[in-house]
Amino acid sequence: SLRQADLVWEVAHAGGERLLLHVELQTSADAVMGERLAEYAIRLWRQFHLPVRSVVVYLRETGQVADTPFIISRGGGEEGLRYPFDVVRLWQEPAERVLSMPDVGLWPLAALMGGATEETTVAVAERIAGAALPRAERSELTALLAVLAGLRLPRPVVDALLRRNPMIRDLIEESSYTALIRDEAREKGREEGREEGREEGREEGREEGRE
């Protein structure tokens, strides 16, 4: 199957140079990450002919991260291809790096950054709830915060703490994330019910056969 990059934006340096920023999001180690990034960069270059800068962002702590640069040898100790990329370990970055920014859309990342606890996650949720944004945006960002926090902290604890605040609870309930989770839960329940019915039917058939 054709591999697809996670996120790609066309951006500009302060001096005006245009380039492509390619971001890969990872929750676990990938032994071929460097190879993938180099492959994506070549495909992006062929399509757009713009410089490519790749960043792999690890959302939670992992024992192994990608080595940069990725190098293909041409034999005899010579390099045939070298592709450098940036590595970001979110759990090592201070949460204030995003919380100090005016872009509220970055604030949910604080749940995965250094010093994150259940209490700091609730504090971020309160900041999002009070932000000068349309209610629908605050709802989606609050739910995203809850989802990301569940990658690093005990999900039931985070969920219970967030829902203690009526405003935060309402924002989460109104989000598309909650609707998606409910749909998945209903589908899982229906599938389990169908499987249980099939098993009961098979057992009844075996019993009739024995009789």
Side-chain angles (χ1 to χ4, degrees), residues 63-206:
Q64 180 183 2
V65 298
D67 291 327
T68 183
F70 171 70
I71 298 173
I72 293 179
S73 172
R74 59 181 293 180
E78 297 182 44
E79 291 184 4
L81 172 69
R82 168 184 286 256
Y83 185 67
F85 54 90
D86 299 315
V87 176
V88 176
R89 302 166 176 84
L90 271 189
W91 66 91
Q92 293 182 352
E93 301 292 330
E96 279 305 313
R97 290 195 64 175
V98 295
L99 295 177
S100 61
M101 294 182 179
D103 187 352
V104 182
L106 294 173
W107 292 359
L109 288 174
L112 299 173
M113 300 178 76
T117 65
E118 291 90 343
E119 291 73 20
T120 60
T121 301
V122 173
V124 175
E126 291 172 347
R127 287 185 61 174
I128 293 173
L133 291 174
R135 185 175 179 86
E137 279 191 57
R138 287 183 285 130
S139 174
E140 295 302 313
L141 290 173
T142 304
L144 177 58
L145 173 72
V147 171
L148 293 179
L151 294 175
R152 184 172 181 184
L153 302 168
R155 185 178 296 277
V157 175
V158 172
D159 189 64
L161 288 173
L162 290 176
R163 291 175 183 275
R164 285 182 184 176
N165 184 313
M167 180 182 293
I168 296 175
R169 181 179 63 244
D170 291 345
L171 288 173
I172 292 175
E173 288 295 328
E174 295 168 10
S175 72
S176 60
Y177 292 95
T178 299
L180 177 62
I181 291 171
R182 285 176 174 167
D183 289 345
E184 290 177 346
R186 281 195 291 268
E187 180 58 33
K188 182 179 180 181
R190 285 194 291 267
E191 181 59 33
E192 290 176 348
R194 287 192 291 268
E195 181 59 34
E196 184 178 341
R198 286 192 291 267
E199 183 58 35
E200 289 179 355
R202 286 192 291 267
E203 182 58 37
E204 289 177 0
R206 285 193 290 269

